């Protein structure tokens, strides 16, 4: 298998928490919570059993609504255990605290998140998958994606807008990527699915060689506008027809804090690639003389206050993405450690307007006027040039 070289976000590492052969903080608490769920006299166990039964018996057929209910229930049960400490749970936590080294801490939220994936998500996976299949079959989304993947597989690679400098992953790398995507589909936990997605993406990055080198002798960095077409090609080559369902499964069930860093960035990339593919044939027929441009990409300018220059960041963007979601992605890409002090702005002829959290930046990017997006400190006083280059 390819080596996982991505530096996972701290929360992802905490939730994974599977260092084999060494002391793992929180193992006893995790097991105590699992045992608690087997004791049918506890409120914890009864609530879980009732929720699973009610979800399966419910007439609700919208998978998004069901996942929202699951997410809310899991958060509620975590709060219940931490606040009420049923059957000595609080004593178990205290016992574990007494064994902590000075450099360790108990991330109860992360520990219990993994427990509830096992207790709630795993038993409901088949039910949820059936809802997804029924819903996406009814809307035609599965057929649309499958047809476009088949069509794209017959088209020259130039139509995917992959730049000539990029050498494609080898057959052995594709086999490794395909293996990760198969394991992604088999996994119950949305966290495990995200891990396999990141492993597949890491394999792509590690296998791609560029024909041009920078002056320092290092390979050129793949930006979102370089990587997205490449990822689309990978989805075509691996025939990943379940891509949209798997992406929505993760979006709906992952803890929101996981979507702020690397996990959210590359999950957005997956959704962007799905959007490109679903529209590929139609776009290709309309632009049969031009390369297909992966339109779910946003360019955001960021002022470098230290050097007095403007940087341009290219981001993956899924359809109907809100300002709040874009800010999470750009903060990760630009390595902003105080994102609460920043905001996204619309620039028109050098005049800026702050965007509200629930606005959709993509809605006005395709208008007739020359519009740019800017991400800057709210308190920064910037005199923008009246024209920005694309």
């Amino acid at each position: 298998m390819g080596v996982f070289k991505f530096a996972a976000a701290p929360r992802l590492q905490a939730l994974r928490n599977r260092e084999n052969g060494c002391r793992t903080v929180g193992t006893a608490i995790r097991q105590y919570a699992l045992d608690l769920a087997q004791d049918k006299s506890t409120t914890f166990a009864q609530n879980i059993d009732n929720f699973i039964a009610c979800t399966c018996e419910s007439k609700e057929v919208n998978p998004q609504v069901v996942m929202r209910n699951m997410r809310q229930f899991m958060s509620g049960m975590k709060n219940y255990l931490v606040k009420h400490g049923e059957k000595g749970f609080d004593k178990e936590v205290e016992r574990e605290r007494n064994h902590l080294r000075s450099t360790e801490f108990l991330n109860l939220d992360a520990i219990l998140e993994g427990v509830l994936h096992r207790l709630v998500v795993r038993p409901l996976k088949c039910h949820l998958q059936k809802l997804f299949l029924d819903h996406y079959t009814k809307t035609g989304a599965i057929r649309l994606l499958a047809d476009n993947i088949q069509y794209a597989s017959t088209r020259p690679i130039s139509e995917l807008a992959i730049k000539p400098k990029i050498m494609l992953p080898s057959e052995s790398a594709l086999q490794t990527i395909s293996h990760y995507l198969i394991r992604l589909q088999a996994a119950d936990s949305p966290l495990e699915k995200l891990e396999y997605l990141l492993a597949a993406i890491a394999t792509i990055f590690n296998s791609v060689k560029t024909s041009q080198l920078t002056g320092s002798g290092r390979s050129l960095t793949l930006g979102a506008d370089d990587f997205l077409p490449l990822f689309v090609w990978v989805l075509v080559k691996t025939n990943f027809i379940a891509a949209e369902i798997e992406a929505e499964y993760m979006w709906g069930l992952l803890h929101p804090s996981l979507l702020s860093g690397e996990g959210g960035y590359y999950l957005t990339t997956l959704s962007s690639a799905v959007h490109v593919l679903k529209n590929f044939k139609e776009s290709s027929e309309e632009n049969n003389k031009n390369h297909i441009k992966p339109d779910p990409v946003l360019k955001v300018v960021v002022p470098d206050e230290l050097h007095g220059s403007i940087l341009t960041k290219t981001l993956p963007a899924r359809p109907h993405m809100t300002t709040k979601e874009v800010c999470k992605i750009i903060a990760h890409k630009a390595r902003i450690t105080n994102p609460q002090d920043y905001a996204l702005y619309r620039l028109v002829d050098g005049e800026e307007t702050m965007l509200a959290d629930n606005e959709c930046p993509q809605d006005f990017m395709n208008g007739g006027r020359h519009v740019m997006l800017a991400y800057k400190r709210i308190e920064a006083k910037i005199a923008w040039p009246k024209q920005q280059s694309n």
Side-chain angles (χ1 to χ4, degrees):
M1 294 297 101
V3 179
F4 195 113
K5 293 187 178 179
F6 276 65
R11 182 173 175 82
L12 186 60
Q13 292 174 331
L15 282 169
R16 184 184 300 119
N17 213 359
R18 298 185 193 132
E19 297 85 357
N20 294 326
C22 63
R23 178 177 180 271
T24 302
V25 175
T27 299
I29 294 174
R30 182 180 297 105
Q31 189 57 51
Y32 195 91
L34 291 171
D35 291 342
L36 205 60
Q38 298 304 312
D39 183 350
K40 302 308 179 183
S41 68
T42 64
T43 301
F44 182 66
Q46 291 169 9
N47 281 347
I48 289 175
D49 289 347
N50 288 339
F51 177 80
I52 291 171
C54 289
T55 301
C56 291
E57 294 167 6
S58 171
K59 294 182 180 180
E60 180 58 65
V61 295
N62 186 329
Q64 301 293 344
V65 173
V66 173
M67 287 192 298
R68 184 168 66 244
N69 293 340
M70 290 169 66
R71 183 66 261 166
Q72 290 174 347
F73 176 76
M74 288 190 289
S75 296
M77 292 312 296
K78 282 194 291 185
N79 291 336
Y80 168 77
L81 268 188
V82 172
K83 290 180 180 179
H84 298 282
E86 189 172 21
K87 273 210 167 181
F89 179 80
D90 51 344
K91 294 179 181 177
E92 188 64 36
V93 171
E94 195 61 31
R95 188 179 300 115
E96 188 80 0
R97 285 180 66 186
N98 292 333
H99 290 92
L100 290 175
R101 302 188 184 103
S102 60
T103 56
E104 296 174 330
F105 71 97
L106 282 176
N107 189 336
L108 292 177
D109 191 35
I111 294 167
L112 294 178
E113 181 76 12
V115 168
L116 286 161
H117 284 176
R118 181 169 169 179
L119 296 176
V120 177
V121 177
R122 180 179 292 178
L124 288 174
K125 182 189 177 186
C126 289
H127 175 70
L128 191 55
Q129 280 192 319
K130 183 179 185 304
L131 294 183
F132 266 120
L133 286 171
D134 290 347
H135 178 74
Y136 282 101
T137 299
K138 185 177 180 180
T139 62
I142 292 178
R143 173 51 54 194
L144 180 63
L145 183 57
D147 288 348
N148 273 279
I149 286 177
Q150 172 60 31
Y151 176 78
S153 69
T154 67
R155 306 304 300 163
I157 195 171
S158 59
E159 291 191 12
L160 287 172
I162 296 176
K163 296 179 181 178
K165 69 180 181 183
I166 297 173
M167 295 181 67
L168 300 173
S170 64
E171 282 299 321
S172 62
L174 273 176
Q175 289 178 5
T176 300
I177 294 163
S178 180
H179 170 78
Y180 282 133
L181 295 180
I182 290 170
R183 295 187 70 176
L184 182 157
Q185 293 176 75
D188 305 314
S189 163
L191 175 64
E192 288 185 19
K193 288 181 182 291
L194 181 61
E195 287 180 327
Y196 288 127
L197 174 65
L198 292 179
I201 287 173
T203 304
I204 297 172
F205 271 102
N206 294 339
S207 67
V208 169
K209 301 291 189 297
T210 54
S211 58
Q212 298 177 359
L213 296 176
T214 63
S216 62
R218 291 179 296 180
S219 296
L220 293 172
T221 301
L222 287 177
D225 48 351
D226 293 319
F227 182 74
L228 183 57
L230 181 61
F231 194 40
V232 169
W233 177 83
V234 166
L235 297 186
V236 171
K237 295 295 287 185
T238 56
N239 197 34
F240 193 22
I241 294 172
E244 184 170 21
I245 290 177
E246 295 296 346
E248 292 304 315
Y249 187 103
M250 286 183 272
W251 280 118
L253 294 177
L254 281 169
H255 193 283
S257 65
L258 270 174
L259 303 177
S260 299
E262 192 168 75
Y265 183 88
Y266 288 109
L267 184 51
T268 301
T269 302
L270 175 60
S271 294
S272 298
V274 167
H275 180 68
V276 170
L277 272 173
K278 287 174 70 176
N279 294 279
F280 183 79
K281 185 175 182 180
E282 181 181 355
S283 299
S284 182
E285 290 172 348
E286 291 176 358
N287 303 278
N288 56 5
K289 292 185 179 180
N290 299 313
H291 291 172
I292 304 304
K293 294 184 178 180
D295 57 318
V297 168
L298 286 178
K299 290 187 181 295
V300 181
V301 296
V302 182
D304 182 343
E305 296 181 62
L306 182 62
H307 299 98
S309 60
I310 294 177
L311 307 175
T312 300
K313 300 292 184 181
T314 305
L315 313 174
R318 59 184 184 137
H320 314 300
M321 206 170 182
T322 64
T323 296
K324 185 175 182 179
E325 292 170 327
V326 173
C327 284
K328 285 184 178 181
I329 296 293
I330 187 65
H332 168 71
K333 185 75 177 282
R335 302 182 186 278
I336 302 297
T337 57
N338 54 330
Q340 70 278 4
D341 296 334
Y342 284 70
L344 191 67
Y345 294 80
R346 175 175 53 192
L347 291 183
V348 181
D349 295 330
E351 297 297 321
E352 63 183 43
T353 304
M354 185 188 292
L355 299 179
D357 281 352
N358 60 351
E359 285 190 79
C360 180
Q362 291 150 304
D363 287 348
F364 51 77
M365 291 305 292
N366 297 322
R369 303 179 70 185
H370 184 75
V371 180
M372 293 288 289
L373 293 175
Y375 182 75
K376 73 174 187 71
R377 281 193 312 112
I378 297 170
E379 296 299 323
K381 306 298 186 288
I382 304 291
W384 299 98
K386 291 193 174 181
Q387 291 185 346
Q388 275 92 26
S389 59
N390 286 320

